[in-house]
Amino acid sequence: MAAPLVLGGAPAVATAADTGGSGAPVALVGALADDGVSLENARFTVVAQPAPEIDEAVVVGETVPTQTLPAELVEAKGSEFVLRLRPDDLAEGFLSGDGLATVELEIYVPEKNAIATTMASFQLVGEGSGTTAEWAEPDGVSAARTVAVPEPIRVEMELHPLPKGAAERPAGGVSARTEGGVGAQSAITRLIKTSHRMATIGTSYPIGGQKATMFHGSGRTITYGAAVSYGSKWNASGDKSISNGYEFTWAPQKTMRAHRTQVRYGLYSHQNKDGIELYRRWRPIVETGVTKEKKLSKRPTWNKGKGVGKRCDTLPRGTWSRTNSKGKSYSLSTGVQMKKIIDIDLSTKRNYASNSKLTYELAKSTRRLCGNNEMPGLASKTAQYRS
């Protein structure tokens, strides 16, 4: 999605645990980056994307099956908005078995004749299909999981002018804003191209002849970035979480490496009812089962500088693995290799778990581990150093 949103405290229209008068749990919180633009007269379009087995079956040239959700699910105040969603709002085929849902959100501001879009995935927390369920950032575990304080995903969106001919127009003498809109928002999403791209989902930094490895297990959910273009320029905007259907363990090696998976990306054309293209989006579809690695030449300096004691320690000899998801997720803003296609790379993010783990061998003189932003078992990335 767009850059993480910081609203200067709790958002004006929701808090993490707030379910509001509608009784529906919060799925998405966001705001416009455009100064002084209010969303209170904006038109919102919320479109649920199909579950993986349906999405993966769409071939180039076909229209993607989607579910348009009621615009009333979105509440706005000033430049901020909240999307509330019950699992029961989603039709069959739009909520995966592990409680994962993906939506495209469009905002049309009539005063500016401009549109903003994003894409986000979120996952059920807790049991039930009504108000007992909550949404949180996907981490690839059971939908019955619990977290101490589930937080909705936060996004920031930018307005872009509509293409010529796609403006909202009066319909039958009545404003399209009250009659359902003519030309202002997309009605069809068509897959027009696919491309296989490599994505870094982990890094390992062994030292002194010791070895490191990584395990990528079946069913593991990883969040891959998306990009949008309203003309010639591409911008990172939104993301989608997908689960893999294979297992792979990289052979233990002494070299520093980036661990990569191959992802099939799709290029989609979003068109209005008149067939005018409003924007295009690249987004992930499925992992292909191909894995690779890239040798890294530069060791990070997480063992130096301020706060070393809060991210480093020396361990006994043995084998160390990160398998818990209680700490920070692995993330890389340039993880997906898209630059040759759209001039920018896209993000990757995954949580650690027993089927998504990093392992280091620790010897007598190489027993020091450092995290990049926390202690090793809680950090986003971990490296090995001489003790």
Side-chain angles (χ1 to χ4, degrees):
M1 68 196 68
L5 177 65
V6 179
L7 294 176
V13 283
T15 63
D18 181 26
T19 56
S22 68
V26 175
L28 195 64
V29 175
L32 282 183
D34 305 77
D35 292 337
V37 178
S38 172
L39 291 176
E40 295 185 29
N41 293 321
R43 288 181 52 213
F44 295 88
T45 302
V46 186
V47 180
Q49 300 299 303
E53 59 271 18
I54 300 174
D55 193 41
E56 294 165 18
V58 177
V59 300
V60 172
E62 288 186 344
T63 298
V64 179
T66 57
Q67 178 193 1
T68 301
L69 298 166
E72 292 74 19
L73 295 175
V74 183
E75 302 170 9
K77 184 177 181 180
S79 64
E80 301 176 15
F81 68 87
V82 165
L83 167 63
R84 303 177 189 275
L85 182 67
R86 292 186 183 91
D88 287 347
D89 292 330
L90 297 167
E92 184 177 356
F94 292 89
L95 182 66
S96 68
D98 56 358
L100 199 65
T102 299
V103 300
E104 290 247 18
L105 175 66
E106 291 183 12
I107 303 174
Y108 174 67
V109 179
E111 301 93 302
K112 300 287 185 178
N113 192 34
I115 192 171
T117 70
T118 194
M119 165 178 270
S121 296
F122 29 81
Q123 191 174 24
L124 282 174
V125 175
E127 301 282 357
S129 58
T131 58
T132 59
E134 294 180 275
W135 300 101
E137 186 174 349
D139 73 354
V141 297
S142 167
R145 69 191 173 104
T146 58
V147 295
V149 183
E151 287 284 349
I153 293 173
R154 297 168 181 258
V155 297
E156 187 176 55
M157 302 168 67
E158 294 183 355
L159 286 171
H160 295 267
L162 284 171
K164 186 177 181 180
E168 188 175 55
R169 305 186 299 277
V174 182
S175 169
R177 195 185 311 172
T178 59
E179 286 293 314
V182 180
Q185 291 171 288
S186 62
I188 298 171
T189 303
R190 180 170 286 113
L191 177 61
I192 58 176
K193 184 180 180 181
T194 61
S195 179
H196 291 164
R197 314 310 302 167
M198 298 309 301
T200 299
I201 62 169
T203 47
S204 56
Y205 301 94
I207 198 170
Q210 302 308 301
K211 297 179 180 179
T213 185
M214 185 179 147
F215 172 54
H216 184 43
S218 178
R220 196 66 210 154
T221 298
I222 297 182
T223 300
Y224 296 100
V228 67
S229 172
Y230 300 89
S232 58
K233 183 180 179 182
W234 286 92
N235 295 290
S237 175
D239 53 35
K240 183 182 179 183
S241 299
I242 57 178
S243 299
N244 71 316
Y246 65 95
E247 293 186 352
F248 186 80
T249 302
W250 279 266
Q253 288 189 20
K254 302 174 185 178
T255 55
M256 299 185 295
R257 291 178 290 173
H259 304 274
R260 293 179 168 179
T261 62
Q262 188 181 78
V263 183
R264 178 175 296 151
Y265 263 72
L267 175 61
Y268 297 85
S269 173
H270 293 255
Q271 303 169 9
N272 69 3
K273 295 177 181 179
D274 302 322
I276 298 173
E277 183 175 86
L278 305 181
Y279 58 94
R280 290 188 171 194
R281 186 185 300 282
W282 278 102
R283 67 163 174 83
I285 301 174
V286 65
E287 289 186 10
T288 67
V290 174
T291 57
K292 293 187 178 182
E293 61 188 29
K294 181 182 178 181
K295 184 177 179 180
L296 300 175
S297 58
K298 187 175 181 180
R299 182 176 302 278
T301 56
W302 303 329
N303 62 331
K304 299 179 181 179
K306 186 178 180 180
V308 170
K310 295 182 179 180
R311 60 177 182 265
C312 297
D313 211 336
T314 302
L315 284 66
R317 286 180 288 182
T319 300
W320 181 93
S321 295
R322 167 79 187 276
T323 59
N324 77 78
S325 59
K326 295 179 181 179
K328 300 179 185 298
S329 302
Y330 178 90
S331 61
L332 187 61
S333 61
T334 56
V336 185
Q337 309 301 296
M338 293 287 289
K339 204 163 192 174
K340 289 184 178 180
I341 299 178
I342 59 175
D343 292 328
I344 58 171
D345 289 329
L346 300 177
S347 62
T348 56
K349 185 174 183 179
R350 69 166 180 87
N351 260 322
Y352 294 86
S354 58
N355 65 344
S356 184
K357 67 179 181 179
L358 174 68
T359 300
Y360 284 102
E361 295 177 354
L362 307 179
K364 182 178 180 180
S365 61
T366 58
R367 296 181 287 120
R368 191 162 179 80
L369 289 180
C370 296
N372 64 325
N373 50 16
E374 247 282 14
M375 294 300 287
L378 301 171
S380 297
K381 305 176 183 73
T382 302
Q384 183 180 15
Y385 298 89
R386 296 188 184 279
S387 48

